[in-house]
Amino acid sequence: MRAMPWLQWPATRPVGSSPMGTGTTSWCTDMNLRHRLKRTLRDLYSLAFVYSGVARLMARRGGARLLILAGHGVDGAVGSKRMPADLKITPERLEEILRALGRYAEWVTVGEGVARLDSGQGCGLVALSMDDGYLDNRTQLLPLLEACDARCTVYLEARPLETRRVSWLHQWFWLERRLGASEAGRRCALELKGNSAVLNEVLAAGADAAARGLKRRLKYDLDAEPRDRAVQAVFEQAGGDEAALCEELYLGVEDARELRDSGRVELGGHTWSHEVLTTLESEAAREEIERGRSTLEELLGVECGESFAYPFGRRWDHSAEHAQAVEEAGYQSAVTTHAGLNRPAGDAFQLRRWMLTETLPVHLLVTELCGGFGLLRRLGLDLVE
Ligand SMILES: [Zn+2]
């Protein structure tokens, strides 16, 4: 069956544009129209699938499948700006999702889920995963897992755990809050001196463009070393305290042990310092993966390390070479941030996950979990990717 081209994203991004980014106006308009059409169809189909009772009928039929959810932080404090909105979900919303999906499926960790798929015993499995290793995973998430009888895989960035240093990204978020994106970008450009052209281009386009585009340019278009040095310098000049920020945001070793010892949490790897693997030379990327794993093993014991999460997780953030390095480092599976459902025949090192947001409707997750979107995929129509 041929795919329906009018609802497919382009296979590759247009030449000359940043990832997720800055293509021509007509390309963007076309994408926006297709995106809106797809979202509307997806919602209507999904509502019908769930509220007609078909989801319930299919929940335990149709063969082995594993739905994996992905989040970062769980933060319910009113007005909290500790983390950007797209990196957190409130405990109330997460509890609603956990309870709803628990009525259709069995909670497993990612490692258990993959093993069950391999053995063909995986009909109706759902796994929650949280990336980076934030402190609220112990304080907010763990009580929820207990209340909802759920499980979770927490993918730990190793460097904050060992050295109490944070990635440039959290320094940047802190600077955005403290100075605003434009001023933070202007100061970073000054520090970058001869390397500042990519930031100046965004800054010249105005405040809105700065808010949207600077992080992407820092992430993809600059070498890690000068970028880290520049962001660190601006962070310190503005009064930032890296150790305090790390304590506020990240799990410590004892927190991670408490999660592991709860019996509800599997710990997994997420590299040493959360760099985009495709921006690194091959050896450096391999070192990121291996050092992340060996550090977790030294700090927490050999129990961690069934599963791995690629930093940022989009297909342009990692490659087949990195998947091989992950496998050779000793992991059994790896997760991306592309939405979809995992089946036994799928690639265990390209597992799909649905990213949790405060507004993601539960009916979409139930539809995916019960095979509703899978039916359409067999007809050549993917309403999810
Ligand atoms: Zn991450």
Side-chain angles (χ1 to χ4, degrees):
M1 182 78 60
R2 290 189 57 194
M4 298 179 189
W6 52 280
L7 274 174
Q8 305 304 316
W9 302 124
T12 55
R13 60 194 166 89
V15 173
S17 68
S18 291
M20 300 183 287
T22 54
T24 63
T25 304
S26 62
W27 182 79
C28 286
T29 307
D30 190 31
M31 281 290 284
N32 287 340
L33 278 173
R34 278 193 281 180
H35 188 64
R36 281 208 295 270
L37 174 60
K38 210 166 180 173
R39 282 181 68 127
T40 304
L41 278 175
R42 188 177 71 176
D43 271 337
L44 292 173
Y45 172 77
S46 169
L47 285 166
F49 185 82
V50 173
Y51 292 104
S52 66
V54 177
R56 180 71 63 187
L57 280 175
M58 289 185 62
R60 302 283 171 172
R61 296 183 175 84
R65 54 180 180 257
L66 168 66
L67 175 71
I68 309 176
L69 314 177
H72 292 86
V74 183
D75 186 0
V78 175
S80 167
K81 292 190 166 46
R82 202 170 53 89
M83 292 172 79
D86 60 349
L87 288 188
K88 62 189 180 186
I89 187 168
T90 59
E92 295 76 18
R93 181 67 184 143
L94 183 57
E95 180 170 2
E96 195 181 330
I97 291 169
L98 295 181
R99 291 196 186 282
L101 295 180
R103 289 195 279 274
Y104 290 87
E106 178 186 354
W107 285 103
V108 290
T109 63
V110 173
E112 289 167 349
V114 171
R116 295 271 296 274
L117 278 188
D118 282 347
S119 65
Q121 301 171 332
C123 192
L125 298 176
V126 59
L128 174 66
S129 64
M130 290 281 166
D131 289 6
D132 302 349
Y134 294 113
L135 181 60
D136 56 38
N137 287 190
R138 177 180 69 73
T139 59
Q140 304 274 328
L141 174 65
L142 187 56
L144 269 185
L145 296 177
E146 283 162 358
C148 301
D149 197 19
R151 315 282 302 281
C152 183
T153 299
V154 173
Y155 291 106
L156 296 167
E157 205 180 318
R159 188 172 68 167
L161 208 59
E162 183 174 56
T163 69
R164 308 315 280 162
R165 293 197 59 199
V166 301
S167 73
W168 68 272
L169 200 54
H170 277 294
Q171 293 178 331
W172 174 254
F173 291 146
W174 185 91
L175 285 169
E176 278 190 317
R177 292 197 304 274
R178 176 62 60 99
L179 306 172
S182 295
E183 179 60 17
R186 194 187 63 75
R187 293 192 191 185
C188 286
L190 285 174
E191 287 293 329
L192 281 162
K193 302 186 177 77
N195 294 317
S196 62
V198 292
L199 296 192
N200 289 332
E201 188 185 312
V202 180
L203 289 165
D208 286 350
R212 288 196 311 273
L214 284 168
K215 186 183 82 177
R216 191 162 61 235
R217 290 304 178 97
L218 287 162
K219 182 173 159 188
Y220 289 111
D221 297 340
L222 285 165
D223 289 339
E225 198 183 329
R227 178 206 57 208
D228 288 357
R229 217 172 28 241
V231 176
Q232 177 91 33
V234 177
F235 176 76
E236 287 173 3
Q237 287 158 18
D241 180 336
E242 188 172 9
L245 186 59
C246 191
E247 287 299 315
E248 183 188 356
L249 287 173
Y250 281 94
L251 294 162
V253 172
E254 286 307 314
D255 300 305
R257 286 188 180 137
E258 187 178 330
L259 285 177
R260 182 199 60 195
D261 294 343
S262 72
R264 294 196 173 275
V265 174
E266 169 193 43
L267 300 178
H270 199 35
T271 73
W272 162 252
S273 68
H274 207 281
E275 198 54 61
V276 179
L277 293 172
T278 46
T279 64
L280 302 175
E281 299 290 338
S282 294
E283 268 315 298
R286 183 173 284 274
E287 168 72 10
E288 271 286 312
I289 293 162
E290 290 176 352
R291 188 176 179 188
R293 183 179 174 92
S294 61
T295 303
L296 294 188
E297 288 181 348
E298 277 167 32
L299 295 175
L300 300 164
V302 291
E303 296 89 343
C304 27
E306 278 274 300
S307 186
F308 174 87
Y310 299 104
F312 305 104
R314 305 300 289 173
R315 61 176 64 89
W316 48 81
D317 296 323
H318 61 273
S319 68
E321 179 185 30
H322 304 130
Q324 190 180 342
V326 168
E327 188 169 6
E328 287 171 4
Y331 293 106
Q332 309 296 311
S333 64
V335 294
T336 70
T337 51
H338 288 280
L341 188 65
N342 302 291
R343 294 278 193 176
D347 185 343
F349 290 86
Q350 297 294 334
L351 295 172
R352 290 176 171 266
R353 296 188 295 173
W354 277 72
M355 298 305 294
L356 291 175
T357 67
E358 197 65 19
T359 55
L360 179 68
V362 175
H363 58 82
L364 294 183
L365 297 174
V366 174
T367 302
E368 184 73 281
L369 175 64
C370 297
F373 290 128
L375 288 174
L376 295 183
R377 289 188 190 104
R378 270 179 251 156
L379 300 173
L381 180 60
D382 192 339
L383 292 179
V384 172
E385 259 290 79

